[in-house]
Amino acid sequence: MAVVLPLGVSLPAVTVMFGDRFGTSATVALVVAGLAAIACTAGLAAREAERVRRDEEVLDALEPLAGAHR
């Protein structure tokens, strides 16, 4: 995720800065690549949030067992 996040930020900036120098197809390709990088970042964040939620549920389920051994 640390690799994709800077791409999601820098590609739109590059597109805006150099859009007049690039052709239309290159500009469209940069916009699509930027949107894909943003979508990948969002997907990774959602997957990480799901993993954290699942881990919390497991720990909550195991919590009563820790009290039984005392």
Side-chain angles (χ1 to χ4, degrees), residues 6-63:
L7 285 175
V9 173
S10 63
L11 281 177
V14 168
T15 303
V16 169
M17 288 178 11
F18 299 113
D20 57 340
R21 296 181 191 166
F22 295 148
T24 303
S25 60
T27 302
V28 170
L30 283 174
V31 168
V32 169
L35 291 174
I38 291 169
C40 288
T41 304
L44 290 172
R47 187 180 312 161
E48 181 68 19
E50 177 63 26
R51 187 189 60 80
V52 167
R53 185 194 59 79
R54 196 173 52 243
D55 289 349
E56 287 176 353
E57 286 178 358
V58 168
L59 290 175
D60 288 343
L62 293 175
E63 197 170 274

